[in-house]
Amino acid sequence: MKKIKHYLSTLALSGIMLFSLAGCAGNTQNKSPEPVPAAPAIEQEVQETESSTRIIVDAKGEVEIPANPQRIVDISGTSDILSILGYDVIGTANSDAYDYTKFPAYLEDILKDAVILGYSMQDTMDIEGVLALDPDLIIMSNVQEKMYEQLSVVAPTVMLQMAQIDWTEDLKNVASVMDKKDEADAWLNTYMSKAQEAGKTIRATYGEEATYLAFLASGGQIYIFDGAGIGSILYNDMGLKKPEGMPTQENISLPVVTYEGLAAIDADYIFAVGTEEDLAVLVSSSIWQNIRAVKNNQYIKLPASPYFNQGYSPIGRSLFIDEVKGLMEQIHE
């Protein structure tokens, strides 16, 4: 267990001091009672030392972490969750998926003072950058497991086992580590109320039976957002309907279809995400041009940065819900 030797040494040293002070008090009690209160003062100091750390269980086992960390380095990709829970990170891997040197637009203000150490889906990070930040707590995920030994000698290190699809599980897991369950529950309740209200408005405006499809166009293939990303916001959070012919997402990997497979998914409305280059290739395809939603002009193109990442971030999801009404209005302009 990390830092346990230091912790036990502190207790042992405190015990010796208590014993010595008690002896001194006994030798001088006939002369003056003033030294006697010294023992309770030392006891309080020991109690404060004990309460300054907590023992939690992570993906590697038990780990002792600061009860109130001040210099958090997070490379797990949960810096946005930590922000929700009231923490500022000094180092992060919540960079943009299409440019690791910058933050995605929806996190720029929140993470502007943090140093970018890599991208959360990479298995290695800037170890020298971590060292330079002098953290008192490091949070990583199982994706970076091969860095664990290096990082755990720098500061107490927590390894998170990230959920395959369910983003709320990750939020609750981080909240458990940081002892912030109530804060997480309050945020989730507010978020879900907003999502359901937005879904109700969209259904009332565009039809209860209207169907919606969101996908990423990349490298000539189509990655369908179903149980993750923007798709899960539309279907799970807002309660909008899926179209017929959609593949099901079974794990963290997005289902992949060809252009012909995309044409087989009969949606009323489409959110097409991609880079300028990928979207240009897509819209030039005769297959795309013959899709019903496209012929009805009921689609919108969204840039890969930030919309690919956005559906995987709690803060990004909340901001997307704020945008949906406006995006639908753009489709109908």
Side-chain angles (χ1 to χ4, degrees):
M1 189 184 303
K2 302 178 183 65
K3 299 176 67 179
I4 195 66
K5 292 183 179 179
H6 174 71
Y7 178 72
L8 292 175
S9 298
T10 302
L11 289 180
L13 179 60
S14 299
I16 293 169
M17 292 173 68
L18 282 168
F19 180 82
S20 300
L21 286 168
C24 292
N27 292 335
T28 59
Q29 65 180 357
N30 293 330
K31 297 179 181 180
S32 172
E34 293 181 358
V36 174
I42 297 296
E43 290 175 354
Q44 180 62 35
E45 182 178 340
V46 173
Q47 291 171 3
E48 290 176 357
T49 299
E50 291 177 331
S51 64
S52 67
T53 62
R54 294 187 301 112
I55 295 175
I56 60 104
V57 178
D58 68 357
K60 298 290 282 188
E62 288 188 343
V63 56
E64 185 178 1
I65 67 172
N68 185 28
Q70 300 299 307
R71 299 184 60 79
I72 301 174
V73 164
D74 164 58
I75 58 173
S76 70
T78 62
S79 298
D80 54 339
I81 296 177
L82 290 164
S83 174
I84 287 170
L85 301 178
Y87 295 96
D88 294 322
V89 300
I90 59 172
T92 183
N94 278 70
S95 54
D96 190 281
Y98 288 83
D99 184 349
Y100 299 168
T101 67
K102 69 177 186 178
F103 296 115
Y106 53 89
L107 292 179
E108 283 177 342
D109 289 341
I110 293 169
L111 298 179
K112 61 184 178 182
D113 295 325
V115 175
I116 295 176
L117 300 166
Y119 178 58
S120 60
M121 294 308 295
Q122 292 177 306
D123 60 359
T124 58
M125 298 284 159
D126 179 5
I127 187 69
E128 292 183 358
V130 175
L131 287 168
L133 291 171
D134 189 27
D136 60 3
L137 178 65
I138 298 172
I139 300 176
M140 62 184 296
S141 80
N142 52 299
V143 174
Q144 300 98 28
E145 184 168 8
K146 69 181 184 181
M147 295 185 66
Y148 182 81
E149 295 302 327
Q150 284 179 292
L151 294 174
S152 61
V153 299
V154 176
T157 300
V158 173
M159 181 188 291
L160 302 175
Q161 182 72 41
M162 305 302 288
Q164 286 290 293
I165 295 179
D166 189 352
W167 66 278
T168 64
E169 184 180 329
D170 288 332
L171 193 153
K172 292 175 181 178
N173 190 16
V174 176
S176 176
V177 167
M178 306 307 291
D179 196 22
K180 296 285 186 177
K181 181 180 182 299
D182 290 344
E183 288 83 348
D185 289 343
W187 190 91
L188 276 172
N189 289 337
T190 299
Y191 168 82
M192 290 307 302
S193 294
K194 180 170 77 168
Q196 291 164 10
E197 187 61 32
K200 181 180 178 181
T201 298
I202 295 297
R203 292 194 303 274
T205 305
Y206 302 103
E208 291 289 339
E209 298 304 312
T211 57
Y212 299 81
L213 172 65
F215 64 80
L216 172 71
S218 179
Q221 291 186 307
I222 304 298
Y223 297 82
I224 304 297
F225 292 117
D226 177 18
I230 292 175
S232 65
I233 302 175
L234 299 174
Y235 310 135
N236 300 344
D237 303 347
M238 297 178 65
L240 302 181
K241 290 194 68 174
K242 295 182 182 182
E244 294 292 333
M246 257 188 68
T248 301
Q249 184 170 353
E250 298 178 351
N251 52 45
I252 196 171
S253 299
L254 297 174
V256 181
V257 298
T258 61
Y259 285 2
E260 289 81 5
L262 175 63
I265 304 172
D266 187 27
D268 293 305
Y269 293 96
I270 292 176
F271 297 89
V273 179
T275 64
E276 287 186 14
E277 295 79 8
D278 283 319
L279 290 176
V281 172
L282 173 69
V283 300
S284 67
S285 164
S286 60
I287 296 174
W288 168 259
Q289 295 165 9
N290 283 291
I291 291 174
R292 179 171 66 88
V294 176
K295 290 193 290 186
N296 292 338
N297 204 32
Q298 293 188 164
Y299 72 96
I300 190 168
K301 294 182 292 182
L302 301 173
S305 174
Y307 287 96
F308 169 66
N309 275 102
Q310 192 160 341
Y312 293 92
S313 161
I315 290 175
R317 295 173 77 91
S318 182
L319 291 174
F320 184 78
I321 288 171
D322 294 337
E323 291 182 79
V324 167
K325 182 174 180 290
L327 294 175
M328 291 298 294
E329 288 172 353
Q330 287 182 50
I331 290 175
H332 282 275
E333 284 179 350

